């Protein structure tokens, strides 16, 4: 293969291919979604009997003209901030691996529940209803969470671990390195908060009008 083609192939792989960790997260999310859809169909007439009605009530409220878009924006931002802050918190702990995987599975499971409820309400057209609930903010929030998970995974692996048998000098060096690592994560925190705020604005000021059109 010519050298030029090898360079282009390497550039494409570096800049346009998803990382292995991100791909695993996407697969795990899809597994959670599939599990939720399976459980929803198995318990459609028992546990999930009222789930579709709850979704209908929520969407009816969102489609009301009297609902302030700022309220939806604030609710979306605070909810996503809670998710993000928990991810940041657990990245400091040894429970990061378990929590991050459970988080991804949980998000996929919630999406599976939402999709199932949409299908229960509207049949095959529920797919379009499901997409209407996610457009356009999901196009920003999904990459933001995938980016956050990948960055925190790399940061967690490089985070210094204490050595209980070390000297006082080594303890001071460890403490200094730990503070430096914490400062390094601050730019990521602010970037993520800005992305979450933008996603909340999209949800409140674009998604809500879209739902009103869908219900009209």
């Amino acid at each position: 293969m010519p050298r030029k083609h090898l360079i282009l192939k390497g550039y494409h792989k570096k800049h346009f291919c998803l990382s292995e960790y991100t791909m695993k997260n996407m697969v795990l999310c899809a597994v959670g979604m599939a599990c939720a859809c399976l459980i929803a169909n198995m318990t459609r007439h028992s546990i999930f009997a009222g789930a579709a009605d709850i979704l209908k009530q929520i969407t009816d409220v969102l489609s009301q003209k009297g609902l302030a878009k700022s309220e939806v924006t604030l609710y979306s931002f605070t909810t996503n901030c809670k998710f993000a802050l928990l991810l940041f918190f657990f990245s400091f702990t040894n429970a990061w691996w378990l929590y991050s995987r459970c988080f991804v599975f949980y998000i996929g499971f919630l999406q599976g529940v939402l999709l199932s409820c949409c299908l229960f309400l509207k049949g095959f057209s529920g797919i379009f209803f499901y997409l209407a609930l996610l457009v356009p903010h999901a196009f920003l929030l999904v990459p933001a969470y995938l980016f956050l998970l990948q960055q925190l995974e790399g940061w967690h692996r490089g985070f210094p671990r204490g050595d209980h048998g070390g000297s006082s000098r080594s303890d001071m060096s460890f403490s200094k390195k730990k503070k430096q690592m914490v400062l390094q994560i601050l730019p990521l925190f602010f970037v993520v908060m800005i992305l979450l705020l933008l996603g909340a604005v999209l949800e409140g000021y674009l998604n809500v009008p879209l739902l009103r059109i869908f219900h009209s």
Side-chain angles (χ1 to χ4, degrees):
M1 183 181 291
R3 178 179 176 84
K4 181 179 179 180
H5 290 172
L6 287 173
I7 294 174
L8 290 174
K9 183 178 180 181
Y11 179 86
H12 180 272
K13 183 176 181 181
K14 180 179 179 181
H15 293 276
F16 297 100
C17 291
L18 297 174
S19 68
E20 182 180 353
Y21 177 75
T22 300
M23 289 295 294
K24 288 181 179 178
N25 281 335
M26 293 175 68
V27 171
L28 183 58
C29 185
V31 170
M33 192 171 184
C35 289
C37 292
L38 179 61
I39 294 173
N41 280 279
M42 291 175 61
T43 61
R44 181 175 180 176
H45 301 291
S46 55
I47 299 175
F48 269 79
D53 293 333
I54 294 174
L55 174 62
K56 186 176 184 303
Q57 293 174 10
I58 294 173
T59 52
D60 287 343
V61 171
L62 290 175
S63 61
Q64 292 176 3
K65 293 183 178 180
L67 180 68
K69 298 174 183 178
S70 58
E71 294 180 3
V72 179
T73 300
L74 180 60
Y75 176 80
S76 174
F77 181 65
T78 54
T79 301
N80 282 295
C81 278
K82 292 175 185 177
F83 286 143
L85 289 174
L86 284 172
L87 287 172
F88 274 101
F89 172 77
F90 278 98
S91 67
F92 287 87
T93 70
N94 292 328
W96 164 251
W97 187 91
L98 178 62
Y99 179 80
S100 60
R101 272 62 176 185
C102 290
F103 171 80
V104 173
F105 182 86
Y106 171 74
I107 294 299
F109 192 89
L110 285 182
Q111 291 303 310
V113 171
L114 180 60
L115 175 60
S116 299
C117 290
C118 291
L119 292 173
F120 293 164
L121 277 176
K122 298 182 177 295
F124 182 76
S125 62
I127 296 176
F128 301 103
F129 182 42
Y130 170 75
L131 294 176
L133 291 170
L134 300 179
V135 175
H137 53 285
F139 291 108
L140 177 62
L141 293 178
V142 171
Y145 275 111
L146 289 174
F147 170 74
L148 175 60
L149 286 165
Q150 181 173 332
Q151 294 299 313
L152 289 180
E153 174 72 13
W155 182 86
H156 176 78
R157 290 180 179 180
F159 190 72
R161 300 294 185 266
D163 183 7
H164 298 291
S167 63
S168 59
R169 179 175 295 181
S170 63
D171 288 341
M172 290 178 62
S173 176
F174 165 76
S175 179
K176 184 177 180 180
K177 186 176 181 180
K178 191 174 181 180
K179 290 179 181 178
Q180 290 175 347
M181 288 289 291
V182 172
L183 289 175
Q184 289 175 5
I185 207 174
L186 286 179
L188 174 64
F189 174 80
F190 289 116
V191 169
V192 169
M193 290 298 108
I194 292 173
L195 292 176
L196 295 183
L197 179 58
L198 290 176
V201 171
L202 290 177
E203 184 172 359
Y205 288 87
L206 291 180
N207 180 252
V208 171
L210 178 64
L211 287 178
R212 290 172 181 170
I213 295 173
F214 193 90
H215 275 270
S216 62

